Amino acid sequence: MSDPLADSVVLDRARRYAEPSNSPPDDRAAASEQSILEQVDHTDAGNVAVLYNLTNGDLRYVYERKQWIIWEKNRWQVDRGNAAAHRKMLEVSAHHRGLADRRLKEAESAGDSGQANNLRKAADASLQWSTKCRDKHRLDAMLNLAMRDARFLIEARELDRAPWLLGVANGVVDLRTGELRPDSKHEYVLKR
């Protein structure tokens, strides 16, 4: 078995095989990389794109600490045992199931029988994929890819970067002033 390719190699190969564009080369490369990351399809990478869309920045991976953090209950928390990440990954399966349901409804109202047949086939494919997404191998693949995806990564130095802020049960206390205020998603306060 060969070693897995680095993300940069995969992105480079994908760029080379992508359809040519009229954009200038630098803009084309940046747009290609972004569109590759955002592509939603029935692949593990597609699942990571769905996961990112579903979590909206509320799930982050701290590479140096090898741990996930999640914004829940209006505060950042360490995801012990990856339980929250697992729960969010199962929502990806639910997303594909919902897509299958929507396509079946579209098929019922389609005027053209060929179009209805295509929609039913697409719904069946999404339904089958939603089931596969719950398999251990698909869940592990999604987790491992997300751990390398720049959209999820955060450096440990970004956490608790303001030493005078302390999280408490009902918000954050500024130790300089004694002021209690709500947690801010963008301050990454984990110390409680």
Side-chain angles (χ1 to χ4, degrees), residues 82-133:
N82 299 336
H86 179 77
R87 188 177 66 248
K88 294 294 184 182
M89 289 187 304
L90 290 175
E91 289 178 18
V92 172
S93 172
H95 165 83
H96 289 293
R97 175 64 191 243
L99 184 59
D101 292 343
R102 286 190 300 277
R103 287 181 174 157
L104 282 175
K105 284 182 183 176
E106 290 172 9
E108 290 173 5
S109 62
D112 178 19
S113 64
Q115 182 184 14
N117 192 37
N118 288 340
L119 285 167
R120 280 191 285 279
K121 285 180 183 178
D124 186 50
S126 288
L127 185 59
Q128 288 180 25
W129 184 248
S130 74
T131 301
K132 287 180 182 179
C133 290

Side-chain angles (χ1 to χ4, degrees), residues 38-96:
E38 293 174 356
Q39 184 175 344
V40 174
D41 54 15
H42 294 169
T43 64
D44 296 327
N47 281 349
V48 171
V50 172
L51 179 65
Y52 178 74
N53 292 335
L54 291 174
T55 58
N56 193 28
D58 291 349
L59 183 65
R60 305 299 299 267
Y61 185 69
V62 187
Y63 180 78
E64 298 92 340
R65 295 182 183 177
K66 307 288 187 231
Q67 68 184 181
W68 289 93
I69 60 172
I70 186 160
W71 177 257
E72 274 188 330
K73 301 176 186 169
N74 294 320
R75 69 172 84 176
W76 283 106
Q77 302 174 48
V78 172
D79 182 12
R80 307 232 185 267
N82 299 336
H86 179 77
R87 188 177 66 248
K88 294 294 184 182
M89 289 187 304
L90 290 175
E91 289 178 18
V92 172
S93 172
H95 165 83
H96 289 293

